[in-house]
Amino acid sequence: MAAGVATWLPFARAAAVGWLPLAKKTMPKPPVDNSSKSDEILYVNVSGVRFQTWKNTLDRYPETLLGSSEKEFFYNEDTQEYFFDRDPEMFRHILNFYRTGKLHYPRNECIQAFDEELAFYGIVPEIIGDCCMEEYRDRKKENQERLAEDTEANEGMDAPLPPHSTSRERLWRAFENPHTSTMALVFYYVTGFFIAVSVIANVVETVPCRPRKGSVKDLPCGEKYQLAFFCMDTACVLIFTFEYLMRLFAAPSRCKFMRSVMSVIDVVAIMPYYIGLVMPENEDVSGAFVTLRVFRVFRIFKFSRHSQGLRILGYTLKSCASELGFLLFSLTMAIIIFATVMFYAEKGTAGSTFTSIPASFWYTIVTMTTLGYGDMVPNTIAGKIFGSICSLSGVLVIALPVPVIVSNFSRIYHQNQRADKMRAQQKVRLARIRMAKKGTANAFLQYKEDRSLGDRDSDTTALCVKNRSAFEHQHHHLLHCLEKTTNHEFTNEMTYSELCMTESVGYRTSRSTSLSSQQGAQNNSTGCCPRRARRRAAMRLANSTVSVSRGSVQELDTLHIKTTSIPPQTRSSLNAQTGDLKLNCGEQDFTAAIISIPTPPANTPDESLPPSPAPIPGILRNTRATAYTHDTVKISSL
Amino acid sequence: MGAVVGTLTMQTKQRRPSRDRADDDLEMTMVCHRPEGLDQLEAQTNFSKRELQVLYRGFKNECPSGIVNEETFKQIYSQFFPHGDASTYAHFLFNAFDSAHTGSIKFEDFVTALSILLRGSVTEKLQWTFNLYDINRDGYINKEEMTDIVRAIYDMMGKYTYPVLKNDAPKQHVEAFFQKMDKNRDGVVTLDEFILSCQEDENIMRSLQLFENVI
């Protein structure tokens, strides 16, 4: 558990007073705790490094920790100094701020550590001096971006499904993250395959094939094998339509889905086919029909779902929209200027290709991008001069925004790579964190087992008790109080699943138990019948546990009975029965008795019932006279 | 060719034009709260100076800003009960601590409540507990409030318990509680009924004394 949380433990324990009126039993005893005007120079001890400064220096900034009375909380009477358990390296910078009035950011320190120190000492980061402010801001932004990505990666992609998700939610998740289930992966590859097939078919359609018998002209393959291509096209469109409708059905917000880019691409990919089906075959609309076929090529954009690089490219272009806009604008300006100049320069010559200014646009573009097709060439000297100026300026204008776009692309690409790496390492990290958490949960269960199993030696028990820190003691006491309040015990997963399995077996008896306890409706669970029935149920559970989970007959070696405040006479009666052990960890209101059952249990649950519980109700009848309110039975087979 | 030249001369710093606005919001939210003076707190609570120093150092370490909001509180409390879900009970506890209903706990609230719980008289402790149970602060505990509280406590136990937690365990617990506390059988428990019933119960009285040396 985090060290910082230890400071909140006393408060959590104090709040346990709120459970007391509800608890049916007394709380367990807590563990025993065996455990400071003219100008003067102040001593500040930060983790052993002693700083000295004038009181006035610190008083300069009364809104910070060191400048206000808050530092009195950290004053140590014995050593007459202020003690802070913080980083002395960082404190140097903090103290320098008081001395010089300027706060500097040390470049080799982690930005978060620095921020935490500032927060602790009550200093607002705004007052960082101009010399260091830019660096601080940049590092902070970078850190925040990184953290934002991490949290996104955490809660986004590979988060396990919430337990009660509808089929719609599962479907949507399968579509968005294909690697989560095999079905989704298969579907992913099938659609990818069909996109490729569709695009290739579109391309091959136009390749000239050998002509049909009887004609001379080469025919494009699309017309020769019209039926085949039509069937292929139909199949692809059917798959795409099916996919689109499934996505539409599964989408959590249909309006948002319909407006997204991928959905628009999907629609554009499949619409031409349906429009082509619907449209009649006359001459007027065949031109439009041809245009529609062009849209089929947009199917290739569906690949962007399958390729991350494509998505990054698209995202880069989107994020560089302003740079692209600037590029376009400056190009347009330059084109208009140079086209005008070239037109008027070449106006005089006969047979000039520069027929109008718009016609000169083509020349200007081709020259500025250094293509130079050579279909339009200036003939006059003036035209040649301006032509060369045009090509030089074209290089400059295009070169300016491109680095920005490139750096943006590189940044986004690296971010994605890092996100992938994090995701791969995330599983290991999560597993490790889960182990650590389980450690704390198991510590309490372990503690209970140790206590109840107990050693015959009081020394070893004292040792096992001492091995736990004071913090663990107090924490376990708190959990123990909760158990007493709710009358239930903590167990681990295994025992719980075993109990659940055998719950149906012992259902009859447990039901009678609950009925009788309802009738009782007291703090104490009275009556021997419920207790015995519970014991029987517990025995049945134990035996069926033995027979079901272990599969072989095993001796039920120990039976733990925990009771509270058993007066001495009953303990002697327990002693009379069989060899037992009494464990006293210094708490009077808690004893553990271990009774070993002499007879091994029979194979089947029912048979074992009469003989084995015989000794135990006898004991309990003796102890019933006492004022104990609840007993818990924990069964373990060794 | 232009692109090649451009890439070769790439030296630009990355621009993030529209994100500077977010910075200002971030820096603004660093609220800092400073508690009253040590002497004042010593006078107001039953703690000595040294104890207050210890308490404050811990508090300050966890919350440098000087206040605890509900989310942080829930997280801290959940760390003590890793088996189950402590957030509901932490919510009720938070409201009990935050007597002024400001939405955050300051060090003064923290220390005042601790002073009552650990060093207060029996009546004060029971009164604090009554306030904890009385969710809507109308002076009466009715069955719904109690059921909420008890269910929240049972939630902290988690799933893996022995004996297996039945669904009506909280309800039964509430019934038992009302049987004991509601003297005039009017369906609600008032503060006087509560204090009287608790004083009659030896177990509760004994347990109250156990928590005095927590610090």
Side-chain angles (χ1 to χ4, degrees), chain A residues 1-2 4-5 7-31 33 36 62-65 68-70 72-75 77-78 86 119-120 122-126 134 136-138 140-141 144-145 322-323 370 395 398-399 402-404 406-407 411 437 440-441 444-445 471 474-475 477-479 481-483 485-493 496 499 503 517-518 521 523 538 633-634, chain B residues 1-3 5-7 9-16 19-20 23-24 26-27 30 32-38 41 49-50 52-53 55-65 68 73 76-77 79-83 89 93 97 107 110 114 117-118 125-126 128-129 132-133 146 149-150 153-154 156-166 168-169 172-173 176-177 179-181 194 198 201-204 206-208 210-211 213-215:
Chain A
M1 208 171 291
V5 186
T7 56
W8 283 86
L9 186 59
F11 138 78
R13 297 184 64 213
V17 169
W19 299 338
L20 291 182
L22 285 171
K24 297 180 176 165
K25 312 154 71 170
T26 353
M27 289 293 148
K29 272 232 165 105
D33 253 344
S36 33
E63 70 276 3
T64 59
L65 185 155
S68 65
S69 63
E70 197 183 343
E72 299 304 321
F73 283 103
F74 297 91
Y75 187 69
E77 304 272 351
D78 309 319
R86 311 285 298 188
F120 181 84
I123 298 175
V124 212
E126 264 75 31
E134 205 177 313
Y136 173 79
R137 277 220 129 91
D138 286 341
K140 192 155 183 184
K141 256 182 265 197
Q144 267 160 11
E145 268 190 351
S322 57
E323 278 86 18
T370 68
V395 167
I398 292 182
V402 167
V404 179
V406 166
S407 74
R411 179 174 61 96
K437 268 191 90 172
T440 50
F444 183 58
L445 295 171
F471 174 76
Q474 294 175 353
H475 185 225
H477 177 249
L478 182 65
L479 291 176
C481 287
L482 183 60
E483 280 186 337
T485 311
T486 56
N487 245 352
H488 290 74
E489 273 192 17
F490 290 111
T491 60
N492 55 8
E493 208 167 327
Y496 179 77
L499 287 177
E503 184 77 345
S517 64
Q518 257 176 18
N523 282 345
V633 177
K634 183 169 147 207
Chain B
M1 193 211 133
V5 173
T7 339
T9 58
M10 177 170 77
Q11 273 293 336
T12 50
K13 220 174 188 180
Q14 292 159 13
R15 288 198 292 124
R16 299 181 186 87
R19 291 196 215 179
D20 289 312
D23 278 335
D24 304 315
L26 271 160
E27 323 264 28
M30 253 176 52
C32 208
H33 176 86
R34 203 151 277 118
E36 300 171 18
L38 196 49
L41 279 178
K49 261 203 180 130
R50 192 148 285 203
L52 283 173
Q53 279 188 344
L55 280 174
Y56 186 75
R57 276 183 228 144
F59 185 83
K60 177 81 177 177
N61 232 347
E62 277 305 298
C63 319
S65 60
V68 188
F73 187 83
I76 293 173
Y77 206 70
Q79 295 215 8
F80 293 117
F81 300 98
H83 304 86
Y89 188 70
L93 208 53
F97 267 76
F107 183 63
F110 179 65
L114 273 184
L117 286 172
L118 300 177
K125 289 182 192 174
L126 292 176
W128 189 91
T129 316
L132 171 66
Y133 294 161
M146 209 55 222
I149 297 264
V150 172
I153 293 181
Y154 274 85
M156 282 198 285
M157 292 291 295
K159 205 167 81 155
Y160 305 127
T161 59
Y162 179 78
V164 177
L165 257 182
K166 306 219 172 28
D168 59 347
Q172 286 185 3
H173 206 140
F177 177 80
Q179 283 247 346
K180 197 166 84 164
M181 301 280 169
F194 184 73
C198 287
D201 186 337
E202 269 185 31
N203 278 342
I204 296 181
R206 214 177 320 151
S207 307
L208 272 177
L210 289 176
F211 286 92
N213 58 344
V214 159
I215 297 221

Side-chain angles (χ1 to χ4, degrees), chain A residues 379-503:
Chain A
N379 288 321
T380 59
I381 297 186
K384 287 186 181 157
I385 293 174
F386 285 119
S388 33
I389 297 176
C390 174
S391 68
L392 283 174
S393 65
V395 167
L396 283 174
V397 166
I398 292 182
L400 287 178
V402 167
V404 179
I405 299 175
V406 166
S407 74
N408 260 348
F409 180 78
S410 132
R411 179 174 61 96
I412 294 169
Y413 182 71
H414 283 307
Q415 270 178 9
N416 256 292
Q417 287 226 313
R418 206 178 46 221
D420 285 340
K421 227 194 304 176
M422 281 249 85
R423 228 172 291 160
Q425 295 171 351
Q426 194 67 0
K427 294 206 175 103
V428 182
R429 273 179 67 197
L430 280 176
R432 241 182 267 150
I433 291 173
R434 227 176 293 136
M435 294 263 311
K437 268 191 90 172
K438 226 194 265 183
T440 50
N442 281 340
F444 183 58
L445 295 171
Q446 187 65 30
Y447 170 54
K448 291 200 330 184
E449 264 186 45
D450 289 347
R451 219 168 38 164
S452 45
L453 267 177
D455 297 321
R456 302 180 174 258
D457 242 319
S458 61
D459 292 330
T460 41
T461 51
L463 261 182
C464 89
V465 158
K466 212 196 299 180
N467 270 341
R468 295 178 170 77
S469 63
F471 174 76
E472 278 193 315
H473 268 301
Q474 294 175 353
H475 185 225
H476 291 160
H477 177 249
L478 182 65
L479 291 176
H480 202 188
C481 287
L482 183 60
E483 280 186 337
K484 291 274 192 292
T485 311
T486 56
N487 245 352
H488 290 74
E489 273 192 17
F490 290 111
T491 60
N492 55 8
E493 208 167 327
M494 253 181 5
T495 333
Y496 179 77
S497 45
E498 283 167 9
L499 287 177
C500 278
M501 257 197 317
T502 57
E503 184 77 345

Side-chain angles (χ1 to χ4, degrees), chain A residues 136-151:
Chain A
Y136 173 79
R137 277 220 129 91
D138 286 341
R139 292 276 293 265
K140 192 155 183 184
K141 256 182 265 197
E142 191 187 317
N143 197 38
Q144 267 160 11
E145 268 190 351
R146 192 168 301 179
L147 284 179
E149 281 157 27
D150 287 350
T151 43

Side-chain angles (χ1 to χ4, degrees), chain A residues 31-52:
Chain A
V32 185
D33 253 344
N34 294 330
S35 37
S36 33
K37 260 159 195 349
S38 62
D39 207 359
E40 42 169 332
I41 290 196
L42 296 181
Y43 300 95
V44 180
N45 185 342
V46 182
S47 302
V49 180
R50 283 187 101 217
F51 295 87
Q52 297 174 8

